[in-house]
Amino acid sequence: MRPPLLDPLFAPITSLDGVGPKVAKLIENVVPADLGDRAARVGDLIFTLPHSVIDRRHRPGIAHAAEGAIVTLEVRVDRHQPPPRGNRSVPYRVYVHDDTGELALTFFHAHAAYLEKSLPEGEWVVVSGRMEWFNGRPSMVHPDHIARLEDAASLPLVEPVYPLTAGLSAKILRRAIGQALARVPAMPEWMDPSIARRHTFPSFAQALQRLHNPADPLDLSAEGVAWRRLAYDEFLAGQVSLALVRANTRRLSGRPLTGDGRIEDAVRRALPYSLTASQEQALAEINADLAEPERMLRLLQGDVGSGKTVVALLAAARAVEAGGQAALMAPTEILARQHLATIAPLAERAGMRAAILTGREKGRERAEVLEGLASGAIHLVVGTHALFQEAVAYRDLVLAIVDEQHRFGVHQRLAITAKGNAPDMLVMTATPIPRTLVLTAFGDMDVSRLTEKPAGRQPIKTVTLPLERFDELVDRMHKAVSEGQKIYWICPLVEESEEIKLMSAEDRFNSLKPVFGSAIGLVHGRMKGAEKDEAMRAFKSGETRVLIATTVIEVGVDVPDATIIVIEHAERFGLAQLHQLRGRVGRGDRASTCVLLFKDPLGETAKRRLSVMRDTEDGFVIAEEDLKLRGEGELLGTRQSGTPGFQVARIESHADLLEVARDDARLLLTRDPDLQDERGQAVRLLLYLFGRDEAVRLLRAG
């Protein structure tokens, strides 16, 4: 049950004065919470923070007011000049002056009676708004504020500016946020006093007041104590919920998995190469975890082509030796089939039976796989999330391996946990994630990193090329194909759209077909599974030499003899995605090239991105740069997939608080695992405030 104290913040925003269904829909576009399919609540408004301020303490005098500046002026009203009768297109002007010069206050479609009342001739008034100069004469169109001199104290001197959307006025949003703040109840302090002292944090309520009613622009700085306080609260909520997931996962204690090394040795003998030092290190860490009675929760990070699949297979061999089954889940069907192609021959030579299960297996074929899993005849199954649906029963699932974790949130981790008798979990990602983000998304996991490329891999040469040199590029590609090379050509879209004039995969395919003839293929996400497989098979076998594709090939597709990748409109892709795509080549023993084709003129961020790609192949360096350029929300793919899209915290400004929050969360739960004492109860409120209530449910479940 949610604590009743928080009820006012969980009321719908339509309970606020002046917010009907129509306005509520508009407000939902600006609140930072990931609403999913729920309506916005009053509590979402308190975290809708201003992005800047209007500083009305600036009073330069008319003649010294700069073009475009927002200024506050004390002026005397000289005369009113209404538009000629019947001509509404001419504005109503009020002429005023101060010691330095004269100014025209300009109003379109004005109500004369209102202006005569608020700007009486001969009176001194205070006006505030944006200065504009026409032909050397100053004007202020529709001042934001007008007040008599004696009422000037009522003007907000520093006024916050909130994010807006078409149709939503600043006034209405400010009023709604003001009402929401008034409903924030007096809450107990959930922050450790020593942390509050060390960082000179204000209380939660004071921090909110300071951000929404700033006395100075500095109050709104992301580096200021008010914003840092709320960022810390959000980090703490995240870290406590991850620690609770971890504790819950561990509490369903696993069992020690130790084997005699027989199957593992057979797999190693079947490999055409020996493992790299970091593969051996990762495997040692995994085997040590498997041997413990607690469940394993490990994240295996490795750059594209660093050999994660082999490590996963050897871990699976250990699980099978111990008498259990292993499942490897991939995010797409293409990837699942590819994993099977890599794994099945090796598994077979070591006496392990492997099978595949995706949405495509139907009828008898599917029934046979399900039966093999239930009887234990199948030792290792590869598939998509079909592996963890209700109908699939395992005889003894002891190890779940999840590929490309950033597409699976905490909820999916819990769903997998429910299969088998709490299987050990190994999660793999080829997206190099900066250390700070590993903490936010995977704070419940131990981490192993693969830092080397397997032996024999060649470096990839990366070049940037403007679209103007397109014909030259096509000539070079034609020559490469005649020498027997294979080329990926990546386009950002499937078909051309009205809004964005970019080359789509289908258009590019049609434009290059006359050049390459039957040697060209096409694959994109809207094709049926069987069509995609056929296009990939033809490219792999060499029937086609050029594959036009969308980013469907971004993750895990393996054609070792592809040596060139062209990424068209490279400026439209993020760094992590460019790095993933580049990793499709350089997988064999021949030198490879990545061509980043861009359209001038490039913005600053795009320029920086392309130069980072030219300068380094190190995925972790690229990930840190990506974080600086893009912020955390986009870096982990989408916000919807259970990744941490923060409402208040900004990784780039607040990363130092993340480790403090993690250590604090661990200490808190060591002392009070069920959050029962005074601080524990306060932290429960915090979890609800930041939408981490699933973690509170774990407390009750356990």
Side-chain angles (χ1 to χ4, degrees):
M1 285 289 290
R2 184 175 65 237
L5 182 69
L6 294 178
D7 287 349
L9 296 180
F10 278 75
I13 54 174
T14 45
S15 64
L16 300 170
D17 290 343
V19 181
K22 199 170 154 198
V23 171
K25 275 276 165 267
L26 294 171
I27 289 179
E28 286 182 351
N29 293 333
V30 299
V31 300
D34 181 5
L35 297 175
D37 45 12
R38 72 170 172 85
R41 303 171 182 144
V42 172
D44 296 324
L45 279 172
I46 65 176
F47 297 127
T48 305
L49 299 184
H51 55 70
S52 55
V53 296
I54 296 169
D55 190 349
R56 299 189 191 284
R57 297 170 303 179
H58 183 42
R59 301 192 174 202
I62 293 170
H64 308 301
E67 162 77 42
I70 289 178
V71 295
T72 305
L73 303 167
E74 286 184 26
V75 293
R76 187 172 190 272
V77 181
D78 297 329
R79 63 193 170 89
H80 285 237
Q81 183 185 307
R85 268 182 184 285
N87 189 348
R88 299 275 291 165
S89 62
V90 176
Y92 190 118
R93 290 193 171 87
V94 180
Y95 291 94
V96 300
H97 78 274
D98 68 5
D99 300 345
T100 67
E102 191 184 46
L103 171 74
L105 302 176
T106 306
F107 302 89
F108 291 91
H109 309 298
H111 294 288
Y114 165 75
L115 290 175
E116 283 161 9
K117 187 176 167 206
S118 50
L119 292 163
E121 289 182 6
E123 292 266 348
W124 281 87
V125 294
V126 173
V127 293
S128 184
R130 190 178 298 283
M131 284 300 279
E132 295 177 22
W133 291 76
F134 295 109
N135 304 328
R137 304 185 64 156
S139 150
M140 188 182 280
V141 181
H142 288 280
D144 301 327
H145 294 283
I146 300 171
R148 301 276 181 96
L149 206 49
E150 60 269 25
D151 302 329
S154 68
L155 275 187
L157 290 180
V158 178
E159 188 176 349
V161 181
Y162 291 94
L164 290 176
T165 185
L168 179 64
S169 83
K171 207 169 184 177
I172 286 176
L173 180 62
R174 256 204 310 274
R175 253 193 77 200
I177 289 173
Q179 293 180 68
L181 286 173
R183 292 196 186 182
V184 175
M187 287 188 273
E189 181 56 86
W190 47 73
M191 187 176 285
D192 180 274
S194 67
I195 291 173
R197 274 197 307 278
R198 186 161 79 234
H199 294 275
T200 62
F201 283 147
S203 70
F204 179 73
Q206 286 166 334
L208 283 174
Q209 287 303 332
R210 204 180 287 186
L211 287 166
H212 289 288
N213 302 302
D216 186 279
L218 287 174
D219 289 342
L220 254 191
S221 155
E223 277 78 32
V225 288
W227 200 313
R228 281 172 66 80
R229 155 78 212 219
L230 295 187
Y232 184 80
D233 289 337
E234 186 165 22
F235 283 156
L236 183 62
Q239 292 301 308
V240 168
S241 73
L242 278 172
L244 285 170
V245 168
R246 180 187 177 93
N248 187 60
T249 313
R250 291 264 156 114
R251 189 184 301 140
L252 299 159
S253 70
R255 62 174 201 241
L257 298 179
T258 49
D260 52 12
R262 188 172 39 84
I263 300 179
E264 192 183 323
D265 288 345
V267 172
R268 281 174 181 264
R269 281 198 303 278
L271 290 173
Y273 49 79
S274 54
L275 299 190
T276 64
S278 57
Q279 281 175 313
E280 291 287 11
Q281 170 70 29
L283 202 56
E285 290 166 351
I286 291 166
N287 284 340
D289 282 358
L290 294 176
E292 293 292 323
E294 283 82 45
R295 286 186 66 201
M296 170 170 80
L297 268 183
R298 187 166 283 280
L299 175 70
L300 178 62
Q301 268 189 290
D303 219 334
V304 172
S306 58
K308 293 179 299 297
T309 313
V310 170
V311 173
L313 174 61
L314 289 164
R318 175 63 56 106
V320 174
E321 281 172 11
Q325 292 165 297
L328 167 56
M329 169 159 96
T332 65
E333 202 174 309
I334 282 191
L335 200 50
R337 293 190 181 280
Q338 188 157 312
H339 277 317
L340 186 75
T342 310
I343 284 171
L346 293 166
E348 212 165 286
R349 286 170 66 180
M352 278 197 291
R353 185 171 159 210
I356 188 160
L357 185 63
T358 68
R360 207 200 301 174
E361 276 65 47
K362 297 275 188 294
R364 202 169 124 207
E365 194 185 354
R366 186 179 187 83
E368 279 175 11
V369 174
L370 291 177
E371 194 182 315
L373 290 174
S375 70
I378 293 172
H379 304 114
L380 170 60
V381 62
V382 181
T384 52
H385 43 264
L387 294 178
F388 297 107
Q389 284 163 354
E390 299 291 304
V392 183
Y394 294 84
R395 191 180 74 82
D396 187 12
L397 179 66
V398 294
L399 175 63
I401 303 164
V402 178
D403 194 14
E404 283 312 313
Q405 157 67 30
H406 66 279
R407 298 164 189 233
F408 300 102
V410 167
H411 306 289
Q412 287 90 333
R413 300 219 268 277
L414 293 171
I416 295 170
T417 300
K419 286 281 174 197
N421 185 8
D424 284 302
M425 198 177 296
L426 176 66
V427 161
M428 308 194 292
T429 177
T431 310
I433 306 171
R435 182 173 160 58
T436 42
L437 286 184
V438 168
L439 286 180
T440 60
F442 314 108
D444 55 335
M445 299 194 170
D446 301 307
V447 181
S448 296
R449 269 184 168 190
L450 298 180
T451 50
E452 303 151 278
K453 286 198 168 186
R457 289 280 167 97
Q458 299 295 317
I460 302 167
K461 183 183 174 195
T462 302
V463 293
T464 50
L465 201 68
L467 268 170
E468 288 79 42
R469 293 174 60 188
F470 181 80
D471 295 341
E472 193 184 319
L473 174 67
V474 174
D475 288 345
R476 281 169 55 194
M477 297 296 130
H478 197 259
K479 186 164 176 284
V481 168
S482 63
E483 290 166 3
Q485 297 196 50
K486 285 187 188 171
I487 301 169
Y488 287 109
W489 190 300
I490 309 299
C491 298
L493 303 170
V494 176
E495 53 199 39
E496 191 173 352
S497 71
E498 283 303 306
E499 302 83 64
I500 322 172
K501 286 287 170 235
L502 294 178
M503 182 54 72
S504 75
E506 286 170 351
D507 293 343
R508 180 53 75 219
F509 174 75
N510 293 331
S511 81
L512 290 178
K513 191 144 177 54
V515 181
F516 295 104
S518 62
I520 191 169
L522 172 69
V523 63
H524 58 69
R526 294 211 194 138
M527 289 161 77
K528 292 197 170 74
E531 293 172 339
K532 274 191 238 175
D533 281 357
E534 177 49 32
M536 289 308 302
R537 186 203 61 73
F539 184 57
K540 217 166 174 166
S541 70
E543 286 165 39
T544 55
R545 293 266 157 200
V546 179
L547 184 65
I548 307 290
T550 54
T551 53
V552 70
I553 67 126
E554 172 192 347
V555 179
V557 171
D558 190 20
V559 180
D561 55 348
T563 50
I564 299 174
I565 185 164
V566 177
I567 303 173
E568 192 164 348
H569 283 293
E571 76 280 0
R572 308 277 312 184
F573 294 94
L575 258 177
Q577 202 173 27
L578 287 172
H579 180 62
Q580 284 272 9
L581 288 166
R582 174 168 65 185
R584 299 300 108 223
V585 296
R587 301 173 82 86
D589 49 10
R590 292 177 68 173
S592 294
T593 309
C594 169
V595 180
L596 303 173
L597 201 54
F598 66 88
K599 188 176 183 337
D600 267 330
L602 285 178
E604 274 313 302
T605 306
K607 259 192 204 136
R608 178 92 194 97
R609 252 185 228 147
L610 297 187
S611 77
V612 169
M613 285 296 292
R614 259 201 327 261
D615 297 344
T616 180
E617 268 194 75
D618 184 325
F620 292 102
V621 172
I622 286 171
E624 295 289 350
E625 281 297 324
D626 208 15
L627 182 59
K628 285 180 203 151
L629 291 173
R630 290 204 293 169
E632 84 293 331
E634 296 176 58
L635 188 60
L636 289 170
T638 60
R639 284 189 147 188
Q640 280 67 35
S641 63
T643 58
F646 293 110
Q647 296 186 61
V648 178
R650 303 275 176 276
I651 284 275
E652 50 278 27
S653 305
H654 305 131
D656 61 308
L657 297 174
L658 192 50
E659 303 227 13
V660 184
R662 183 191 60 170
D663 296 343
D664 187 16
R666 288 196 167 175
L667 185 63
L668 169 73
L669 289 167
T670 308
R671 291 175 176 162
D672 180 18
D674 295 324
L675 298 182
Q676 289 299 349
D677 67 15
E678 199 176 325
R679 185 181 175 207
Q681 293 291 342
V683 167
R684 286 176 178 236
L685 294 175
L686 172 72
L687 292 171
Y688 278 106
L689 267 180
F690 281 102
R692 302 286 186 167
D693 12 332
E694 76 263 14
V696 185
R697 285 198 287 282
L698 288 180
L699 278 170
R700 282 203 304 283

